[in-house]
Amino acid sequence: MVAPAVDLLRNPLGAVRGLFSIAAMVASPAPAATLELSGGDWGIKGVFDKFLYEEGAIAQVPHIDDLAHDSIPSGSLVRFRGMIQDMFDVEYYVGAYKDCNTWQTNKYTDSPVPQDTEQQIWDRRLFYCVPIPGENQWMKNTWHSNAVQPDATSQSLKRKREDIPATVESMDCDSPTKEHNSCLVKIYDGNDADLKLNDIAEFVGIVWKESELVSISASDSSALAESLMEDDTSLQLPSSTVPRLHCITMRKLSAYSIPSQPGALADICSVRESLVCTLQSVLGEDRLAAEYLLLHLLSKVYSRVEPLAVGKFSLNFSGCQAGADGSVSLVASAVGHAISVLLPCSQVVPLSLEDLNSCLIAPRKDYATNRLVTGGLQLASGTHLTLDETALNTGRLNETGVKNLQSLKSVMESQKVDYDFQYYQMEMPTDLPVLVVSCGKSRILPADALVPLRCSAEAARIHAEASDLSKWRIYLSSAREADHVIEPSMQKIVEEDLVAARQKDRTVGSETFHRWLTMARLLSLSYSERSLTRERWEMMKELEMRCAARLRETTT
Amino acid sequence: MAEPSSPLVFPESPGLSDRVPATPVSAARNGSARRPRQSPSAGSSGHSTPILPGTPGFGNRTPNYFKFTGGRAREAEPQAEGVFAQAPVEDPGSKTYVWGTNISIDDTREAMHLFFERFRESPEAVEAKYIQLLDQVIELEGRSLNIDAQNIFTYNEELYSQVVRYPLEVIPLFDMVVGDIARERRPDWNNHIQARIFNLKLSTNLRDLNPSDIEKLVSVKGMIIRCSSVIPEIKEAFFQCLMCGHFPEVTPVDRGRVNEPSKCANPACSAVNSMTMIHNRCTFTDKQIVRLQETPDAIPEGETPHTVSLLMHDKLVDAAKPGDRVEVTGVFRAMAVRVGPNQRTLKSLYKTYIDCLHVKKADKSRMQMHGGVEFDNNEIFLETDTSPAVYEAKINKLKELSKLPDIYQKLTRSLAPSIWELEDIKKGLLCQLFGGSTKKLSSGASFRGDINVLLVGDPGTSKSQLLQYVHKIAPRGIYTSGRGSSAVGLTAYVTKDPETRETVLESGALVLSDQGICCIDEFDKMSENARSMLHEVMEQQTVSVAKAGIIATLNARTSVLACANPSGSRYNARLSVIDNIQLPPTLLSRFDLIYLVLDKPDEQTDRRLARHLVALHYEDPEVELLEALDLPTIAAYITYARQRIHPKLSNEAAERLIEGYVNMRRRGNFPGSRKKVITATPRQLESLIRISEALARMRFSETVDECDTVEALRLLDVALQQSATDHSTGIIDMDLITTGVSASERTRRENVVSSVKVFIMDRIQAGSSLRITELFEDIRANVNQEMSLQDLKTALNTLMTEGFVSVLGDNVARS
């Protein structure tokens, strides 16, 4: 396939139409063959993939939200990075029509077609995408400054923005502003095969805005047409606020990964040590808590055996003071801030009665609009949640509040969120590491591990050099993605150990075992080791012992 | 009443049609020039027939036929380009064809006639199936005839494929043929009968509908989520002259338009613009837009459900309500969206919908316990359950499962496979899930069939996980934590423990589940108030709610599965069950099975647990679970058993039960001992019956056989042995459960009373008094018997009721 000599960046539609006409020409002798055109993409994706990723032109493609909406002309090539918040019904459109005996394509556009022509109906999928919820500023900067700006200048800018205190978001219902910066992505040719709800992806395609602000009245104003239009979700989203992106190619991203990773880190141990030290100062010089926090930050669900989500490691810091006059507690805000500069996506949520009672945090389907109403728990996998239980006052929880707490509980226990579809609940697996900050042990939100904080100093905000920060980020993201195995000999040792521990203390049950195995794994990963060693196992037991000793102190 | 939806525009008789100029019958739609039409072909996703807005649906079936000269009949192959778009030449020898195909109208009609007249479900049937059905319809003055597409397929595969591929043309033919036959059967019949075709061989997944399905007959399953209000649509307009009162024949609606006569047809009047429409003499039909959503089980993980609009007509309106699961058969259609009214350009979008022919309700959700087939004669197009074949297959699979010799073991293994050991407890839970049968005597007394189970045990023995699992497969179960449950109401309260500063949630939501299993975690932490409610639930199976002066008694036919921690957080083997759980004996005795989930130090078990967990974390854990049945299968199995299997006690089983029960009671009698220990009560006998019934259900057996009773006896024995063992004698003692005091304890108390009595007779003169503490010291010093202050007080109370002493404050006086 010869790439047509058109500017893919400025005139992508020209390229599409060029490729189509070549394909149509090849097929034209046999009339039936035009039908075949609908299946393939005439090599478009290949051409663009080569252009964007191999030749590196992706950097020149503007981000849709970097530009003012008016400044993007319809038909230009843009990219959009976001989370799939809702999936709409399949849209049927006129894919090709015959104009003066030659086939024209209407793919990748929303342009009107002349009536009374021979037409072919094709279909495409519609995804409603929103900016990634809880995405931290540094992550946004990394993406947007990716190639546009050289690093030197952006560095200072980045630093400045990072100093902005951690955003504290109450798990609010969707406000009207939510539609801001969202995008309706239209996907062709079943390229969506592996995209799921709450996935993060970068879409590259042609932006399209309807030329006239159409008052799409169904022609005959017949009741049927009207009622059918009523249900049309995309009509509720005028293209003036929600641009349409006709996706040509896309990349699926994960919430853990950060875009550019310049090689492996030189000295894992020293990076780890410096990170733990920093976390220690954040936690008021509590080394043990810092170690636990590091493991917690590395955790992710790696397998599911109903009803268990293996690998999750939720953490509960007890012994924290509530913040003054209902604000976020000091520990929660310091930890929340530290996490926000370390992990790509995170949120600090104060659990206040008012917030819990006011709106549902689990997403629900609104059948009147035929849309999924988002909630605070509709987050991409890998988003970190810090729940501040110190903000919870005595008072009455209403039905909403009870449901909300149940949702949070189900996230902590099985990493699942029940989406409310009115007639039934749909379980959505998720992966949100949860850190609970509370006064006493949290009874409402049972975490996998409980660490009573022993602060010898005030919890302090993170202070670090930008170079350190970027090292830590790469360290965390690579450790999180790594695989881990156990040798048969080590497996024997672990088993023996577990049995012995149980013989000694009958309160040690499967919960404890799960915690130990998860911690041992995370500890190994934190040293960038791919298999479990005796040393790490012993280290884990040491940590647990110190933690248990603290727990005994607190209870007596 | 003449039906406008009948094929008005279709040439009525074949003979006549031969003479008719060969123009497309429904040539120009919407005033636009006839568009070339491309026959849809399977496999291609392209299609070129935009149906304009306002295209009549099945309310007004407008077939689209074309007539070709005989020699030019086209192959039924896909043809683009509209080669035959030119007006066909008039030819006396021509045949009428469905546009773009080689389907001859006459041949098809002939085939249909044959189908109706010849098709019999079984060779022995005297009368043709559909003639019989049609006679019924005529008898009932019905308007529709259901035709099973599978029948068409068996009789004539070609006809079937014609219906599926060209429904817009072929189904009106069906209507006509049905009408013809109806008139043959009853000459004065002039109502229109719609042929409603259902039960296609292939049911399409809503998600898989694609452009190649447009204008094909499809069948999709889903759940109705929204119904529009009923839209009246005018079918025939009635006009009357305002001047002279003359009224012409009703004017049928022509493609959504009514042509108002501009002039009175009465030659005597001939007034211009005098015709007015009389609304209540027009005829209307009902129409409704319904939204169908995929059923939850068809949605791939991590996606949201798809929806599709349905257009319902006439009797189908309101046939299903939001929340119903249905299977609809209809024609998938697309409608172009225009940019603006009166504009020639179209937006490039199409709206799709299914023009419904037939709706079948298929509610087989796990909630349904009384799954009788509801069949309403008035609405013959409504049927329950899925297509018989699929349903049969499913049932057969379950029946096959039930025939496995190790089905009992298999089910046990499949119950909470992630939990190790606890075999007998799982068996008990299985019995609870299957349940015994409720018996109602003619005298009005009823015996519950629900089995209640209590699990008591050490923390960390996966009791909660068991509960969660049961809750998941149980039909209509609720799961609640006893901690702070307030029985009624849906609110909760957050409190703070003043000492530990722990925040505690007092949740409500003990809304009891009728016909299901109520799982209560942390039963021991339940408030007295809420617990007292359970007394009624567990024996009478009702709940009384008093609110605003009205006492309402609600049904609560629920099994209770509770789990409790021992009062001292760990089970103390030296104390009795009662002392360990601190539950009122009245409540305890209502549980059929009480299991102690004790964490016995056993290295072998520990090792297996450790190995299991390590494997869970490091290996592919799927492998070892293969043996088990998956959750939906178990749920289906249980639901089917609960609905359809009602086992009866066989004589041998009854004998065995009696024998077993007598044996249990006899165990308390020791030869030569006066002490009588009750080892079983009638409540246990009832439990035994229920458990045996549940066991029979597991095998899909209609009779309770001896093997069931033997296993039931064993299960009860296991449960009792664990819970009702008197720890001072090691013998099962039902008194422990029923009164909380064991027989040996009772004898001891009697002894205390008699010795105290003797002592008081000795020490206290009639009329004088003594302090209790002094008396206690005295007795302790002089009586050779172990006794606590509490024992003494109990004894004094007994004596007081006898009138032997009187207790005033701290003083004891002999009366």
Side-chain angles (χ1 to χ4, degrees), chain B residues 287-308:
Chain B
K287 204 169 70 174
Q288 190 177 35
I289 313 277
V290 169
R291 204 134 181 94
L292 187 77
Q293 180 183 279
E294 274 178 299
T295 45
D297 41 320
I299 308 166
E301 192 184 290
E303 299 210 18
T304 57
H306 282 195
T307 59
V308 68

Side-chain angles (χ1 to χ4, degrees), chain A residues 35-53:
Chain A
L35 295 168
E36 307 300 321
L37 287 173
S38 63
D41 73 340
W42 328 304
I44 291 172
K45 190 171 184 293
V47 168
F48 276 89
D49 277 350
K50 186 160 173 279
F51 172 68
L52 293 170
Y53 303 124

